[in-house]
Amino acid sequence: MIKVCFLLLTCASLTATAQKQDYPIQPVAFTKVKLADRFWTSRIETNRTVTIPASFERCKATGRVKNFEMAAARSGKFCTTYPFDDTDIYKTIEGASYSLAVHPDKKLECYLDSLITIVGKAQEPDGYLYTARTIDPLHAGPWIGKERWEKEQENSHELYNAGHMYEGAAAHFMATGKRNFLNIALRNADLLVQTFGPGKRHVAPGHEIVEMGLVRLYRITGKKEYLELAKFFIDERGKKEYNKKSKNVWENGTYYQDDKPVILQDEAEGHAVRAMYLYSGMADVAALTGDKQYLAAIDKIWDNMVGKKMYVQGSIGAVGDGERFGGNYELPNSTAYNETCAAIGSVFWNQRMFLLHGDSKYIDVMEKTLYNGLVSGVGLDGKSFFYTNAMQIQDNFTHTDIERERSGWFVCSCCPTNVARLIPSVPGYIYAQNGKDVYVNLFISGTGNMLVNNKALSITQQNNYPWNGGLNFIINPASATDMNLKLRIPGWAQNQAIPSDLYSYQQPSNQKVEIRVNGTLVNYSTEHGYAVLSRKWKKGDKVEMTLPMNVQRVVASEKLPDDAGKIALQRGPLMYCAEWKDNGGKAANIIIPKTTDFEPTYQPELLNGLTVLKGEVKAVNIDADGQNVSTETKTMAAIPYYAWANRGKGEMMVWFPQQVKYVDLGAAVLVEPVKK
Amino acid sequence: MIKVCFLLLTCASLTATAQKQDYPIQPVAFTKVKLADRFWTSRIETNRTVTIPASFERCKATGRVKNFEMAAARSGKFCTTYPFDDTDIYKTIEGASYSLAVHPDKKLECYLDSLITIVGKAQEPDGYLYTARTIDPLHAGPWIGKERWEKEQENSHELYNAGHMYEGAAAHFMATGKRNFLNIALRNADLLVQTFGPGKRHVAPGHEIVEMGLVRLYRITGKKEYLELAKFFIDERGKKEYNKKSKNVWENGTYYQDDKPVILQDEAEGHAVRAMYLYSGMADVAALTGDKQYLAAIDKIWDNMVGKKMYVQGSIGAVGDGERFGGNYELPNSTAYNETCAAIGSVFWNQRMFLLHGDSKYIDVMEKTLYNGLVSGVGLDGKSFFYTNAMQIQDNFTHTDIERERSGWFVCSCCPTNVARLIPSVPGYIYAQNGKDVYVNLFISGTGNMLVNNKALSITQQNNYPWNGGLNFIINPASATDMNLKLRIPGWAQNQAIPSDLYSYQQPSNQKVEIRVNGTLVNYSTEHGYAVLSRKWKKGDKVEMTLPMNVQRVVASEKLPDDAGKIALQRGPLMYCAEWKDNGGKAANIIIPKTTDFEPTYQPELLNGLTVLKGEVKAVNIDADGQNVSTETKTMAAIPYYAWANRGKGEMMVWFPQQVKYVDLGAAVLVEPVKK
């Protein structure tokens, strides 16, 4: 039963209510992919055994569960901070459902059912579900408003709660085949359909996600009203009047992606998580309706974001005040915000862009995000999280937005629960298919199963990625079959730094990536960044691809004043950083001369095993009495960015000067105003 | 005629319509004081010969005069940027009037009359005077509103224009005895009296100054409605509803000093110039009405400002965004705003606080401001101005608010015209009197004339202040007379750094300031910071006071993260800075060891003559290829802060590390977001 469900729901063309139009490319569902990957398997297992239980525990300890219980009883006083705290439960159920799908666990399934029962009791008879109001509608706080939806465009997040509920309910249904959570979601979605739409109530959702959620429910039920309502919500944006001249992003509407209709938007703007969810929702609706205007808009927005507003480790949302995108090229190191949720949203969106266009550039961004600025959001222990992901930590610099160590939970704890649902879904990002075209997007060991020409076919990867560039793929069709195997050749393997407008490699190579089939070097054509291997594949066919794993010195464009003249280190998909722990207690004193060569060494005992880069650099030191500053030559060690802050607090740098142009003795430049 | 006027108007108790209640201490008017001071006379002369003509010229060239001409013709299109551009003309007339009073100039007087004629023609029949509306009332811009005063609380500045008009008109009347400008002002003030008040229109003026201006007119006319209206406007504050929880100073009302009634305000807050004008107005009204609640409020606000929100060179208004006070201890160096107008306002307010309380601590602040953070606002050429006054300039750091060189004019040119009116009034801040108590507040050479026991008495100072601490005062009563001569002993001469909560002297001395009368050392009591010399004074009595002029190392409190552990250099009332020009092209690379002694040397040829401080320090340098950083011992030269940026652009530092705790190689920390 469960297995049938997966099949039904993950490949839209096979569902009971098949849509005529959809993403031309369909992902191979995470449930069809079994991982055996040194890098990811341990993370998924830690997510299952540590992150999800800890998340449920915290939902209980902090009163999030109690809110539902009080709403069920229609009495009490909302006992957490934000009305959207409900979503942490929905998101953890979602993560737990993904986990259940590949790792059955009766106890967990039972716990989910007990939670869902409480959630169901908290739902009002007409389907409304929002504990902050239902507990005591007469005393709902000022954020929430006296009437339902009254403050939706500002801060109530009623539709945000709904969107996460739908995502969680859809995942739970897919994983377990049970309809208990799904029915709650559908009752709520039906209320939305009754309430909002042309001739009914109008609103541009304050924090997007209900659009994606409605599409999920549409895919399950085929009920076109859900899809129509998703489109309606998207089209509601840009109708409110703002002060266009104001530079204040709340006043001019850009914070909300509401300054103009979405089809006129051409820049990644405003709250970064909301933006990612909006653009993902637009991609979904565009795929399902063929809306060309949406497509044109998100194409432009993507070019803007990836060209001008993304950090070198894939993070987005540079500005803390508003958790938002800054202007073009506004990528400060010292105050980088980089919310973990925004990185997760970027993965959602980039996958959808790939499914629309079949271009590897989207996967390049997705891979960069996954291996760097996203996975940095969770500690190796699985129970500590970054809300923001710093680009540098200096002993002399503090700022509200800069986190020096991960926390177990936050007052606004969106990121930990978003991590809990993202990590177990990673297997779903590896393979994709469009008929006979099979895409291998990520180089994660394990086996993916799919149907090609209506025959079962599996692809098994046996790699040691991202540490090793020698990749092996074994193709196993049930019987010999035609297939266009599309192996992604990462941009980084072909001198394409991302974003190419901002970064480049100091010593580009012109080496072509070599591919062997059954031991024989083959000529291959490339298409949209993929090596295309078209042939009749037989059981046991072996493909080898070798990616160059030399250490790249990434040079920043002069457009980035914070980085100009500096380099960052990259090897494979990984961005590196220097952490105090490996460099004599400091990291911000390092100069990497132009001549420094770095030697990669895999260290299995370090931080769950990783490749360290070592090279001879200069370091600037201060003598004991602070009267003299001098320079020494020493060996620097860099670790992958994702692994920082797992050994205590201290300095961390991603960008390094190659030569020093200016020395600042003033030290404490506190951007943050001193609080009274 | 003119001389009678001065007497009438500068000593309120002597005016035709004598008030019963007023400041207990009255200043000796600037017109009664003839300067012969190396430091100030040249500045006042430059102001007369350069600043005022240049200011009038710019008022003409930029269209400010044309606005009045168009308003007179009731046609055209307002041709400058801000509706308050009118005030630049009022303020320059005010400065020119002060100048005329001590330096008759028929041509200038005539020019003023011609301007005043245009101003008069721009006035509407009922007294309304505001060119931005009168030119074309139907097309007044959004800042101005369709109806008179409609946007006063926001941005129209109609009452701000009125206030500056009254100040200018009062000065012109005092200086020339002519009523042409005064009558314009009175017609306008009468319109305000008809329009605003209990049972009439209510408004809290957007940018305060009308309150001070109305008091000026009250002093001239004795018309109590002007005083009542001033009080009414002050009491209107704090009545609008704001979002008290917001941290946004516009939303919570603190930007406007409007978050609560003034008598409940206890912190220097919001736009710094507006704040100074409000508190000055409150002092005026408190003096004239005996309002104890106003007094209690401004006393608390003063303690807050001087204790927690003032820079070491007397500047205020640390935050550029809103030109405003930051939180307590929010005194960043790299982004210090420090509007010149705010320093001028602080002089206004501190003099009033002194006149109320007779305490030298107010003059300490006033002197610090005058000799440092205010006079830095105008270049030695008299025609270049700082709008903001930086605390440090580093080659690697830029920020919108930081000016590296002075400009001749600004789009919002309030500061140059405020300087033009402040400089010629400096003689009025030297002496003050309360019956037989005669206060000597500033040590500026020249002669002050007053009546003591109804007898003429002059005090002549022959000093070389601020370069030399040996001060000479010759007392010349018409005939021997009792007088309590109150010589201010500056706080800095007694180890009282200002603000004492933030700064202290590293090597306090316990030397008592010595005073000699006719060559004989005298014992003196001190009262509120003044040495009190009570005796029957005879013609030619000579008083000598010797202030210690050792170089002080000012140490910052740990409460100031930007300054902690650093020192600033002070000698006498002057704060010093290191400028690139005297230090091998750099200033931010200097470490001043704890052991460094500084040698003061007067250099008559340098920057109009000043005392330079030289000492042996460490400097951190970078080698040519940027690969090595090292430290050298060298001689540093510091110049008075007021004199910086008169020799081109380059680094400037006020605070120096005594030892380096942290070296920042990252260099470019751009606080300013990069613009698209």
Side-chain angles (χ1 to χ4, degrees):
Chain A
M1 172 60 191
I2 290 177
K3 292 216 167 166
V4 176
C5 263
F6 296 143
L7 199 60
L8 280 178
L9 292 160
T10 51
C11 186
S13 61
L14 296 180
T15 61
T17 56
Q19 282 82 41
K20 281 171 197 155
Q21 192 145 24
D22 203 341
Y23 286 111
I25 304 169
Q26 290 288 322
V28 173
F30 71 97
T31 49
K32 309 294 288 175
V33 180
K34 180 128 188 85
L35 295 201
D37 189 76
R38 199 190 289 184
F39 190 89
W40 286 106
T41 304
S42 64
R43 275 179 177 70
I44 293 171
E45 189 61 6
T46 302
N47 188 73
R48 186 181 73 80
T49 58
V50 179
T51 311
I52 288 171
S55 185
F56 276 131
E57 199 176 289
R58 282 155 183 163
C59 281
K60 194 162 174 61
T62 58
R64 281 159 168 83
V65 174
K66 194 181 170 198
N67 281 334
F68 280 93
E69 289 166 345
M70 289 188 293
R74 308 293 195 272
S75 82
K77 190 167 182 297
F78 186 77
C79 68
T80 63
T81 305
Y82 298 109
F84 54 80
D85 290 334
D86 291 0
T87 61
D88 290 321
I89 289 181
Y90 303 148
K91 285 151 80 182
T92 315
I93 293 176
E94 183 179 345
S97 299
Y98 293 135
S99 178
L100 274 183
V102 288
H103 198 285
D105 177 339
K106 272 289 158 206
K107 207 174 144 195
L108 176 60
E109 203 177 330
C110 199
Y111 181 69
L112 297 193
D113 284 341
S114 71
L115 272 181
I116 290 164
T117 301
I118 299 166
V119 169
K121 286 183 179 166
Q123 187 168 37
E124 298 191 20
D126 66 354
Y128 186 77
L129 179 41
Y130 183 71
T131 68
R133 187 186 310 286
T134 302
I135 291 172
D136 183 0
L138 295 180
H139 297 93
W143 279 10
I144 295 167
K146 286 186 178 161
E147 303 297 328
R148 289 179 180 181
W149 332 110
E150 182 189 327
K151 301 264 185 178
E152 169 56 32
Q153 205 149 355
E154 290 105 42
N155 290 312
S156 76
H157 283 26
E158 278 152 296
L159 296 178
Y160 174 76
N161 282 15
H164 271 301
M165 188 202 323
Y166 305 165
E167 297 246 313
H172 182 256
F173 171 63
M174 286 160 65
T176 64
K178 291 183 183 173
R179 297 188 66 96
N180 48 347
F181 195 12
L182 180 66
N183 286 338
I184 294 169
L186 294 178
R187 272 197 299 276
N188 185 269
D190 290 339
L191 175 66
L192 295 196
V193 168
Q194 284 163 38
T195 307
F196 297 98
K200 291 179 266 185
R201 195 163 184 143
H202 287 247
V203 75
H207 189 316
E208 299 91 333
I209 196 178
V210 73
E211 305 82 357
M212 293 164 76
L214 283 165
V215 168
R216 283 244 211 180
L217 297 185
Y218 166 66
R219 287 187 186 284
I220 290 173
T221 62
K223 189 168 173 179
K224 70 176 190 330
E225 288 84 351
Y226 296 155
L227 176 60
E228 286 164 1
L229 183 58
K231 184 165 187 339
F232 173 80
F233 281 141
I234 292 168
D235 290 337
E236 278 300 292
R237 309 200 89 77
K239 294 188 172 175
K240 194 172 160 185
E241 212 171 299
Y242 291 92
N243 178 356
K244 289 195 194 309
K245 285 188 181 165
S246 173
K247 287 183 181 176
N248 180 304
V249 295
W250 286 269
E251 286 176 11
N252 65 28
T254 56
Y255 171 79
Y256 305 100
Q257 297 89 37
D258 198 25
D259 56 317
K260 45 190 164 195
V262 295
I263 58 170
L264 300 179
Q265 293 186 23
D266 55 7
E267 193 170 330
E269 69 182 21
H271 189 278
V273 184
R274 301 181 196 207
M276 292 305 100
Y277 291 178
L278 170 64
Y279 310 148
S280 297
M282 287 171 69
D284 281 346
V285 172
L288 290 163
T289 64
D291 191 308
K292 295 253 185 309
Q293 290 183 303
Y294 278 14
L295 268 186
I298 53 178
D299 283 353
K300 277 188 207 156
I301 295 169
W302 189 89
D303 284 346
N304 172 260
M305 175 177 102
V306 175
K308 299 183 173 65
K309 299 188 173 184
M310 199 172 78
Y311 282 95
V312 74
Q313 29 68 290
S315 293
I316 50 169
V319 178
D321 184 28
E323 307 187 317
R324 65 183 167 87
F325 286 102
N328 290 335
Y329 312 117
E330 184 179 351
L331 297 169
N333 288 326
S334 56
T335 60
Y337 194 74
N338 292 344
E339 185 175 343
T340 300
C341 283
I344 291 172
S346 175
V347 167
F348 295 161
W349 185 33
N350 275 289
Q351 192 206 21
R352 283 164 168 80
M353 294 301 279
F354 159 75
L355 296 176
L356 283 167
H357 295 299
D359 197 303
S360 73
K361 66 183 181 182
Y362 305 106
I363 306 299
D364 283 350
V365 175
M366 188 176 88
E367 180 187 68
K368 179 180 272 260
T369 309
L370 269 176
Y371 280 90
N372 298 284
L374 187 158
V375 81
S376 61
V378 53
L380 296 176
D381 61 5
K383 57 185 178 183
S384 59
F385 306 90
F386 278 137
Y387 191 111
T388 67
N389 291 273
M391 287 299 292
Q392 70 186 30
I393 298 291
Q394 286 180 265
D395 284 343
N396 71 318
F397 185 90
T398 62
H399 186 280
T400 320
D401 297 334
I402 296 305
E403 293 168 62
R404 286 166 187 256
E405 56 185 341
R406 296 181 184 85
S407 304
W409 194 250
F410 305 90
V411 176
C412 167
S413 212
C414 51
C415 298
T417 51
N418 233 348
V419 165
R421 73 183 184 127
L422 188 280
I423 295 286
S425 74
V426 163
Y429 295 96
I430 302 173
Y431 302 100
Q433 190 181 354
N434 183 4
K436 284 197 294 187
D437 289 350
V438 172
Y439 295 84
V440 181
N441 279 328
L442 300 176
F443 309 118
I444 299 180
S445 295
T447 300
N449 297 289
M450 57 211 88
L451 290 178
V452 178
N453 302 323
N454 280 319
K455 276 183 251 183
L457 179 145
S458 74
I459 300 175
T460 298
Q461 297 193 47
Q462 287 172 331
N463 308 322
N464 186 17
Y465 194 81
W467 314 119
N468 196 307
L471 305 177
N472 302 289
F473 310 86
I474 299 163
I475 316 299
N476 273 318
S479 61
T481 194
D482 285 333
M483 174 179 72
N484 306 316
L485 182 66
K486 295 188 156 188
L487 293 181
R488 172 175 153 262
I489 303 181
W492 58 258
Q494 299 188 308
N495 301 317
Q496 291 157 17
I498 307 173
S500 58
D501 197 26
L502 300 181
Y503 310 115
S504 58
Y505 297 129
Q506 204 164 43
Q507 290 157 324
S509 78
N510 52 9
Q511 192 188 330
K512 199 186 171 187
V513 171
E514 293 187 344
I515 297 178
R516 286 178 169 74
V517 177
N518 297 325
T520 307
L521 200 65
V522 295
N523 281 326
Y524 58 88
S525 60
T526 56
E527 202 179 293
H528 299 309
Y530 291 86
V532 185
L533 306 177
S534 301
R535 56 192 291 159
K536 190 176 280 278
W537 294 90
K538 303 184 309 293
K539 204 177 182 76
D541 275 344
K542 192 176 172 191
V543 179
E544 294 161 277
M545 177 163 77
T546 308
L547 302 177
M549 297 299 277
N550 50 312
V551 179
Q552 295 278 19
R553 297 166 68 109
V554 181
V555 191
S557 157
E558 293 291 326
K559 293 172 185 166
L560 298 175
D562 250 26
D563 304 333
K566 296 185 197 167
I567 58 155
L569 300 175
Q570 179 175 7
R571 182 172 179 271
L574 297 179
M575 295 308 307
Y576 276 72
C577 68
E579 220 187 1
W580 94 106
K581 186 82 172 179
D582 311 300
N583 294 286
K586 288 198 64 59
N589 65 339
I590 294 169
I591 304 165
I592 301 185
K594 285 198 167 56
T595 51
T596 300
D597 279 326
F598 286 91
E599 189 64 41
T601 314
Y602 187 74
Q603 290 188 217
E605 78 295 345
L606 185 63
L607 294 162
N608 293 3
L610 45 73
T611 295
V612 173
L613 309 183
K614 288 189 179 169
E616 196 172 84
V617 298
K618 302 273 190 174
V620 176
N621 300 313
I622 304 162
D623 67 6
D625 65 358
Q627 301 295 297
N628 288 289
V629 179
S630 58
T631 311
E632 64 163 338
T633 299
K634 64 179 251 182
T635 298
M636 162 197 172
I639 60 168
Y641 173 79
Y642 74 76
W644 81 278
N646 278 292
R647 294 170 295 171
K649 288 191 285 187
E651 293 201 329
M652 184 277 291
M653 299 295 281
V654 172
W655 289 100
F656 305 90
Q658 299 184 87
Q659 59 189 74
V660 179
K661 289 182 180 160
Y662 198 89
V663 171
D664 199 325
L665 308 177
V669 179
L670 284 166
V671 169
E672 179 186 11
V674 181
K675 294 293 183 305
K676 289 185 238 174
Chain B
M1 170 61 190
I2 288 177
K3 292 219 170 167
V4 176
C5 263
F6 295 145
L7 200 59
L8 279 178
L9 293 161
T10 52
C11 185
S13 60
L14 295 180
T15 63
T17 55
Q19 282 81 40
K20 280 170 196 157
Q21 192 146 23
D22 204 340
Y23 286 111
I25 304 169
Q26 289 288 322
V28 174
F30 71 96
T31 50
K32 308 295 288 176
V33 181
K34 179 128 186 87
L35 295 200
D37 188 76
R38 198 189 292 183
F39 190 90
W40 286 106
T41 304
S42 64
R43 274 178 179 69
I44 293 170
E45 190 61 6
T46 302
N47 189 72
R48 187 181 73 79
T49 58
V50 179
T51 310
I52 288 171
S55 185
F56 277 131
E57 199 175 290
R58 283 157 183 162
C59 281
K60 195 162 171 64
T62 58
R64 280 159 169 83
V65 174
K66 193 181 171 200
N67 282 335
F68 280 94
E69 290 167 344
M70 289 189 292
R74 307 292 194 271
S75 82
K77 190 166 181 302
F78 186 77
C79 69
T80 63
T81 306
Y82 299 109
F84 55 80
D85 290 335
D86 290 1
T87 62
D88 290 321
I89 289 182
Y90 302 148
K91 284 151 80 182
T92 315
I93 293 177
E94 182 178 344
S97 300
Y98 293 134
S99 178
L100 274 182
V102 290
H103 198 286
D105 178 339
K106 274 288 160 208
K107 205 173 146 198
L108 178 59
E109 204 177 328
C110 200
Y111 181 69
L112 296 193
D113 285 339
S114 72
L115 272 183
I116 290 164
T117 301
I118 299 166
V119 170
K121 287 183 179 166
Q123 187 168 37
E124 298 190 20
D126 66 354
Y128 187 77
L129 180 41
Y130 183 73
T131 68
R133 187 186 309 286
T134 302
I135 291 172
D136 184 359
L138 295 179
H139 298 93
W143 280 9
I144 294 169
K146 288 185 177 162
E147 303 296 328
R148 289 180 179 179
W149 333 109
E150 182 189 324
K151 301 266 186 179
E152 169 57 32
Q153 205 149 354
E154 289 104 43
N155 290 314
S156 77
H157 284 26
E158 278 152 296
L159 297 177
Y160 174 77
N161 282 15
H164 271 302
M165 188 202 323
Y166 306 165
E167 296 246 314
H172 182 256
F173 171 64
M174 287 160 65
T176 64
K178 291 183 181 172
R179 298 189 64 97
N180 48 348
F181 196 13
L182 180 65
N183 285 338
I184 294 169
L186 295 179
R187 270 198 299 277
N188 185 269
D190 290 340
L191 175 65
L192 295 197
V193 167
Q194 285 164 37
T195 308
F196 297 98
K200 290 179 267 185
R201 194 162 184 143
H202 287 247
V203 76
H207 189 316
E208 299 93 331
I209 197 177
V210 72
E211 306 81 357
M212 293 164 75
L214 283 165
V215 168
R216 283 245 210 179
L217 298 185
Y218 166 66
R219 288 188 185 283
I220 291 174
T221 62
K223 187 167 174 179
K224 70 177 190 330
E225 288 85 349
Y226 296 156
L227 176 60
E228 286 164 0
L229 184 58
K231 185 166 186 336
F232 173 80
F233 280 141
I234 291 169
D235 290 337
E236 278 300 291
R237 310 200 88 74
K239 294 188 171 174
K240 193 172 159 185
E241 211 171 299
Y242 291 93
N243 177 357
K244 288 195 195 308
K245 285 188 182 167
S246 173
K247 287 182 180 177
N248 181 303
V249 297
W250 286 269
E251 287 177 9
N252 66 29
T254 57
Y255 171 80
Y256 304 100
Q257 298 89 38
D258 198 22
D259 54 318
K260 45 191 165 194
V262 294
I263 58 171
L264 299 180
Q265 293 186 22
D266 56 6
E267 192 169 330
E269 68 181 22
H271 189 277
V273 184
R274 302 181 195 207
M276 291 304 99
Y277 291 178
L278 170 64
Y279 310 148
S280 297
M282 286 171 69
D284 281 347
V285 172
L288 290 163
T289 64
D291 190 309
K292 295 253 185 308
Q293 290 183 302
Y294 278 14
L295 268 186
I298 53 178
D299 283 353
K300 276 188 209 158
I301 294 169
W302 190 89
D303 284 346
N304 172 260
M305 176 177 100
V306 176
K308 298 183 173 65
K309 298 187 175 184
M310 201 171 77
Y311 281 95
V312 73
Q313 28 69 290
S315 293
I316 51 169
V319 178
D321 184 27
E323 307 187 319
R324 64 182 168 87
F325 286 103
N328 290 334
Y329 311 118
E330 185 178 350
L331 297 169
N333 288 326
S334 56
T335 59
Y337 195 73
N338 292 342
E339 185 175 342
T340 300
C341 283
I344 291 172
S346 175
V347 167
F348 295 160
W349 185 34
N350 275 289
Q351 191 204 24
R352 284 164 167 79
M353 294 302 280
F354 159 75
L355 297 175
L356 284 167
H357 295 300
D359 196 304
S360 72
K361 68 183 179 182
Y362 304 107
I363 307 299
D364 284 349
V365 175
M366 189 176 87
E367 181 186 68
K368 179 181 273 260
T369 308
L370 269 176
Y371 279 91
N372 299 284
L374 188 157
V375 82
S376 60
V378 55
L380 296 176
D381 61 5
K383 58 184 177 183
S384 59
F385 306 90
F386 278 137
Y387 192 111
T388 67
N389 291 272
M391 288 297 293
Q392 71 185 29
I393 298 291
Q394 286 181 266
D395 283 343
N396 70 319
F397 187 90
T398 62
H399 186 278
T400 321
D401 297 334
I402 297 304
E403 292 169 63
R404 286 166 187 256
E405 58 186 340
R406 295 180 184 84
S407 306
W409 195 251
F410 304 90
V411 178
C412 168
S413 212
C414 50
C415 297
T417 52
N418 232 349
V419 165
R421 73 183 185 128
L422 187 279
I423 295 286
S425 74
V426 163
Y429 294 96
I430 303 172
Y431 302 99
Q433 191 181 354
N434 182 6
K436 286 199 292 189
D437 291 351
V438 172
Y439 295 84
V440 181
N441 278 329
L442 300 177
F443 308 118
I444 298 179
S445 294
T447 299
N449 295 290
M450 56 212 91
L451 290 176
V452 178
N453 302 324
N454 281 320
K455 276 185 249 182
L457 179 146
S458 74
I459 300 175
T460 298
Q461 297 193 48
Q462 290 173 330
N463 308 323
N464 186 17
Y465 194 81
W467 315 119
N468 196 308
L471 305 177
N472 301 289
F473 309 86
I474 298 163
I475 317 297
N476 272 320
S479 61
T481 195
D482 284 333
M483 173 178 71
N484 306 317
L485 182 66
K486 294 190 156 185
L487 293 181
R488 170 173 154 264
I489 304 182
W492 58 258
Q494 300 189 308
N495 302 318
Q496 290 156 17
I498 306 172
S500 59
D501 196 25
L502 300 182
Y503 308 116
S504 58
Y505 296 130
Q506 201 165 44
Q507 290 157 323
S509 80
N510 51 10
Q511 192 187 330
K512 199 187 170 186
V513 171
E514 292 189 343
I515 298 179
R516 286 177 168 76
V517 177
N518 297 325
T520 307
L521 199 65
V522 295
N523 281 329
Y524 59 87
S525 60
T526 57
E527 205 178 289
H528 298 310
Y530 290 87
V532 185
L533 305 177
S534 302
R535 58 193 290 159
K536 189 176 280 280
W537 295 90
K538 302 185 309 293
K539 205 175 179 76
D541 276 344
K542 191 176 174 191
V543 179
E544 295 160 278
M545 178 162 76
T546 309
L547 301 177
M549 296 300 275
N550 50 312
V551 179
Q552 296 277 19
R553 296 165 69 108
V554 180
V555 190
S557 156
E558 294 290 326
K559 291 171 185 166
L560 298 175
D562 251 25
D563 304 333
K566 296 184 195 167
I567 59 156
L569 299 175
Q570 180 175 6
R571 182 173 178 270
L574 298 179
M575 295 308 307
Y576 276 72
C577 68
E579 220 187 1
W580 94 107
K581 186 83 172 178
D582 310 300
N583 294 286
K586 287 198 64 59
N589 64 339
I590 295 169
I591 304 166
I592 301 185
K594 287 199 164 56
T595 51
T596 300
D597 280 326
F598 284 92
E599 190 64 41
T601 313
Y602 187 75
Q603 290 188 219
E605 78 296 343
L606 185 63
L607 294 163
N608 294 2
L610 47 73
T611 296
V612 173
L613 308 183
K614 287 188 180 171
E616 195 173 84
V617 299
K618 302 272 190 173
V620 176
N621 300 313
I622 305 164
D623 66 6
D625 64 358
Q627 300 295 298
N628 287 287
V629 179
S630 58
T631 312
E632 64 163 339
T633 299
K634 65 178 253 181
T635 299
M636 161 196 171
I639 60 168
Y641 173 79
Y642 73 76
W644 82 277
N646 278 292
R647 296 170 295 174
K649 288 190 285 186
E651 293 202 327
M652 183 278 290
M653 298 294 282
V654 171
W655 289 100
F656 304 90
Q658 300 183 85
Q659 59 189 76
V660 179
K661 289 182 181 160
Y662 197 91
V663 171
D664 199 326
L665 308 178
V669 179
L670 285 165
V671 169
E672 179 186 11
V674 180
K675 295 293 185 302
K676 290 185 242 176

